[in-house]
Amino acid sequence: MDPKSQKVKLNDGHFIPVLGFGTYAPPEAAKREALEITKFAIEVGFRHIDCAHVYQNEEQVGQAIRSKIADGTVKREDIFYTSKLWLTSLRPELVQPALEKSLKTLQLDYVDLYIIHIPVALKPGEELFPKDENGKLIFDSVDLCLTWEALEKCKDAGLAKSIGVSNFNHKQLEKILNKPGLKYKPVCNQVECHPYLNQSKLLDFCKSHDIILVAFGALGSQRVKEWVNLNHPVLLEDPVLSAIAQKHKQTPALVALRYQIQRGVVVLTKSFNKKRVKENMQVFDFELTPEDMKAIDGLNRNRRYYEFLPGVGHPEYPFSEEY
Ligand SMILES: NC(=O)c1ccc[n+]([C@@H]2O[C@H](COP(=O)([O-])OP(=O)(O)OC[C@H]3O[C@@H](n4cnc5c(N)ncnc54)[C@H](OP(=O)(O)O)[C@@H]3O)[C@@H](O)[C@H]2O)c1
């Protein structure tokens, strides 16, 4: 089967490729390497590209997409591009200008998907992480339903084909779904998801509302010290994943990606290494057995790598809820 054709239908009728290329990298690499590696990812078959204003490399990623369109490798409609609304722009009047800024940086006319990055509003301004004199994040108070209405307007204006959320717990999703006058449901909730945090309850909730769960950190995260608790075990060294990988003559990384696709999750994978970018496309070349799936389900230990601890104390901090 042609891997490029593996897509699922979103609740608004658009299609999302089940495998996505993640572009977040620590600051030095983010800008320096993103152009070359994103072009390479498109060359080897990735059609879904996940980026965000806060990654500070939309210029390079946009350039990569445009260059692959210009050389005839793909057409714009072949690419599914996601951007994310940063936390300093959650006030409704700031939403469309933030998306327009991303589009200008990308030099694209529209994004395929625009999502609220984290439901924790921060003080508006140019600073991505506004802090007080004690180094604490300065929170803002915004009704997420109003942010959502502003996203709906971006869809109506044709600036985003689809709209969704990220890092929402089920109560926050419910709030949007129950909003009086809701025009569009979120098409997705992009959350951390891997065998140590398999999100089975959130996945069931999302499935019951026709919302796609998109997994990030599917390989156990990049273990960047600013974001991740480095005391947590390394996912790809897990003996059960390794044994299943050996049995299929694949790698633990491919098993972790395949696991998500077989349970109906759209999965992102970041690599800035050409050999591994290419390897990750092999996720379509094998299948896990029901016993393998069960064994991987058994690894869950609700271990979150990205806890976003600076957001603790905000009334919308999402990770205090069970799911
Ligand atoms: N919405 C959000 O809040 C949020 C948060 C985090 C991430 N994301 C998105 O999700 C994407 C992926 O998540 P992530 O960045 O946490 O990383 P990840 O996909 O869990 O990958 C973690 C690490 O695995 C390595 N890797 C990749 N392929 C491999 C392979 N085949 N074998 C062995 N190692 C491999 C990569 O290192 P190398 O580069 O050295 O290969 C990478 O640093 C991000 O880039 C971003 O687009 C979203």
Side-chain angles (χ1 to χ4, degrees), residues 66 76 99 103-104 106-111 157-161:
R66 284 180 293 105
R76 174 65 187 89
L99 174 51
L103 289 171
K104 197 167 169 221
L106 291 156
Q107 294 189 46
L108 295 178
D109 300 329
Y110 65 89
V111 298
L159 302 176
K161 298 270 181 210

mmCIF file of all heavy atoms in Angstrom, residues 66 76 99 103-104 106-111 157-161:
data_model
loop_
_atom_site.group_PDB
_atom_site.id
_atom_site.type_symbol
_atom_site.label_atom_id
_atom_site.label_comp_id
_atom_site.label_asym_id
_atom_site.label_seq_id
_atom_site.Cartn_x
_atom_site.Cartn_y
_atom_site.Cartn_z
ATOM 1 N N ARG A 66 7.352 24.885 0.559
ATOM 2 C CA ARG A 66 7.241 25.600 -0.718
ATOM 3 C C ARG A 66 8.275 25.104 -1.721
ATOM 4 O O ARG A 66 8.010 25.004 -2.905
ATOM 5 C CB ARG A 66 7.345 27.110 -0.495
ATOM 6 C CG ARG A 66 6.022 27.678 0.091
ATOM 7 C CD ARG A 66 6.052 29.169 0.327
ATOM 8 N NE ARG A 66 6.974 29.516 1.383
ATOM 9 C CZ ARG A 66 8.172 30.074 1.214
ATOM 10 N NH1 ARG A 66 8.601 30.378 0.007
ATOM 11 N NH2 ARG A 66 8.934 30.340 2.253
ATOM 12 N N ARG A 76 0.359 21.584 -3.106
ATOM 13 C CA ARG A 76 -0.034 22.097 -1.781
ATOM 14 C C ARG A 76 -1.086 21.200 -1.141
ATOM 15 O O ARG A 76 -1.035 20.927 0.063
ATOM 16 C CB ARG A 76 -0.552 23.554 -1.915
ATOM 17 C CG ARG A 76 -1.129 24.141 -0.617
ATOM 18 C CD ARG A 76 -0.074 24.288 0.474
ATOM 19 N NE ARG A 76 -0.631 24.699 1.764
ATOM 20 C CZ ARG A 76 -1.062 23.847 2.689
ATOM 21 N NH1 ARG A 76 -1.022 22.532 2.491
ATOM 22 N NH2 ARG A 76 -1.534 24.288 3.832
ATOM 23 N N LEU A 99 -2.726 33.761 13.774
ATOM 24 C CA LEU A 99 -2.700 32.834 12.630
ATOM 25 C C LEU A 99 -2.169 33.548 11.383
ATOM 26 O O LEU A 99 -1.354 32.990 10.634
ATOM 27 C CB LEU A 99 -4.105 32.251 12.388
ATOM 28 C CG LEU A 99 -4.288 31.374 11.155
ATOM 29 C CD1 LEU A 99 -3.241 30.261 11.066
ATOM 30 C CD2 LEU A 99 -5.689 30.759 11.136
ATOM 31 N N LEU A 103 0.969 32.504 9.024
ATOM 32 C CA LEU A 103 0.851 32.325 7.566
ATOM 33 C C LEU A 103 1.858 33.193 6.816
ATOM 34 O O LEU A 103 2.436 32.770 5.812
ATOM 35 C CB LEU A 103 -0.578 32.642 7.105
ATOM 36 C CG LEU A 103 -1.629 31.606 7.521
ATOM 37 C CD1 LEU A 103 -3.045 32.119 7.219
ATOM 38 C CD2 LEU A 103 -1.394 30.266 6.805
ATOM 39 N N LYS A 104 2.073 34.393 7.326
ATOM 40 C CA LYS A 104 3.027 35.297 6.693
ATOM 41 C C LYS A 104 4.452 34.724 6.815
ATOM 42 O O LYS A 104 5.231 34.743 5.865
ATOM 43 C CB LYS A 104 2.929 36.673 7.375
ATOM 44 C CG LYS A 104 3.542 37.765 6.569
ATOM 45 C CD LYS A 104 3.172 39.131 7.088
ATOM 46 C CE LYS A 104 4.059 40.152 6.374
ATOM 47 N NZ LYS A 104 4.547 41.192 7.256
ATOM 48 N N LEU A 106 5.219 31.585 7.215
ATOM 49 C CA LEU A 106 5.269 30.360 6.414
ATOM 50 C C LEU A 106 5.246 30.657 4.917
ATOM 51 O O LEU A 106 5.695 29.855 4.107
ATOM 52 C CB LEU A 106 4.023 29.497 6.700
ATOM 53 C CG LEU A 106 3.897 28.850 8.063
ATOM 54 C CD1 LEU A 106 2.439 28.551 8.397
ATOM 55 C CD2 LEU A 106 4.714 27.546 8.085
ATOM 56 N N GLN A 107 4.683 31.813 4.576
ATOM 57 C CA GLN A 107 4.337 32.167 3.188
ATOM 58 C C GLN A 107 3.418 31.114 2.566
ATOM 59 O O GLN A 107 3.640 30.606 1.481
ATOM 60 C CB GLN A 107 5.601 32.384 2.360
ATOM 61 C CG GLN A 107 6.382 33.614 2.860
ATOM 62 C CD GLN A 107 7.518 33.994 1.940
ATOM 63 O OE1 GLN A 107 7.340 34.039 0.726
ATOM 64 N NE2 GLN A 107 8.663 34.268 2.519
ATOM 65 N N LEU A 108 2.377 30.811 3.321
ATOM 66 C CA LEU A 108 1.312 29.927 2.839
ATOM 67 C C LEU A 108 -0.010 30.689 2.944
ATOM 68 O O LEU A 108 -0.126 31.639 3.728
ATOM 69 C CB LEU A 108 1.236 28.657 3.684
ATOM 70 C CG LEU A 108 2.435 27.694 3.652
ATOM 71 C CD1 LEU A 108 2.201 26.517 4.591
ATOM 72 C CD2 LEU A 108 2.737 27.195 2.233
ATOM 73 N N ASP A 109 -1.013 30.246 2.153
ATOM 74 C CA ASP A 109 -2.316 30.924 2.170
ATOM 75 C C ASP A 109 -3.230 30.393 3.266
ATOM 76 O O ASP A 109 -4.166 31.062 3.680
ATOM 77 C CB ASP A 109 -3.053 30.708 0.832
ATOM 78 C CG ASP A 109 -2.255 31.265 -0.330
ATOM 79 O OD1 ASP A 109 -1.535 32.252 -0.117
ATOM 80 O OD2 ASP A 109 -2.350 30.688 -1.434
ATOM 81 N N TYR A 110 -2.998 29.146 3.658
ATOM 82 C CA TYR A 110 -3.840 28.553 4.700
ATOM 83 C C TYR A 110 -3.047 27.466 5.415
ATOM 84 O O TYR A 110 -2.045 26.964 4.874
ATOM 85 C CB TYR A 110 -5.121 27.942 4.094
ATOM 86 C CG TYR A 110 -4.871 26.760 3.175
ATOM 87 C CD1 TYR A 110 -4.830 25.469 3.673
ATOM 88 C CD2 TYR A 110 -4.652 26.931 1.811
ATOM 89 C CE1 TYR A 110 -4.587 24.384 2.847
ATOM 90 C CE2 TYR A 110 -4.405 25.850 0.964
ATOM 91 C CZ TYR A 110 -4.368 24.577 1.490
ATOM 92 O OH TYR A 110 -4.102 23.500 0.684
ATOM 93 N N VAL A 111 -3.489 27.126 6.617
ATOM 94 C CA VAL A 111 -2.969 25.919 7.276
ATOM 95 C C VAL A 111 -4.080 24.872 7.206
ATOM 96 O O VAL A 111 -5.261 25.216 7.097
ATOM 97 C CB VAL A 111 -2.562 26.175 8.750
ATOM 98 C CG1 VAL A 111 -1.442 27.197 8.850
ATOM 99 C CG2 VAL A 111 -3.756 26.594 9.607
ATOM 100 N N ALA A 157 -13.081 31.991 7.555
ATOM 101 C CA ALA A 157 -12.326 32.908 6.693
ATOM 102 C C ALA A 157 -11.395 32.149 5.735
ATOM 103 O O ALA A 157 -10.736 32.765 4.897
ATOM 104 C CB ALA A 157 -11.510 33.871 7.561
ATOM 105 N N GLY A 158 -11.333 30.818 5.878
ATOM 106 C CA GLY A 158 -10.504 30.010 4.977
ATOM 107 C C GLY A 158 -9.029 30.006 5.342
ATOM 108 O O GLY A 158 -8.195 29.517 4.578
ATOM 109 N N LEU A 159 -8.695 30.532 6.516
ATOM 110 C CA LEU A 159 -7.281 30.581 6.915
ATOM 111 C C LEU A 159 -6.826 29.235 7.499
ATOM 112 O O LEU A 159 -5.640 28.918 7.487
ATOM 113 C CB LEU A 159 -7.057 31.690 7.950
ATOM 114 C CG LEU A 159 -7.442 33.102 7.498
ATOM 115 C CD1 LEU A 159 -7.257 34.097 8.632
ATOM 116 C CD2 LEU A 159 -6.623 33.515 6.284
ATOM 117 N N ALA A 160 -7.780 28.483 8.024
ATOM 118 C CA ALA A 160 -7.503 27.136 8.536
ATOM 119 C C ALA A 160 -8.599 26.221 8.012
ATOM 120 O O ALA A 160 -9.785 26.518 8.165
ATOM 121 C CB ALA A 160 -7.525 27.133 10.060
ATOM 122 N N LYS A 161 -8.194 25.103 7.391
ATOM 123 C CA LYS A 161 -9.212 24.167 6.861
ATOM 124 C C LYS A 161 -9.933 23.477 8.025
ATOM 125 O O LYS A 161 -11.129 23.223 7.944
ATOM 126 C CB LYS A 161 -8.554 23.102 5.989
ATOM 127 C CG LYS A 161 -7.849 23.658 4.764
ATOM 128 C CD LYS A 161 -8.777 23.726 3.575
ATOM 129 C CE LYS A 161 -8.037 24.267 2.367
ATOM 130 N NZ LYS A 161 -8.897 24.995 1.456
#
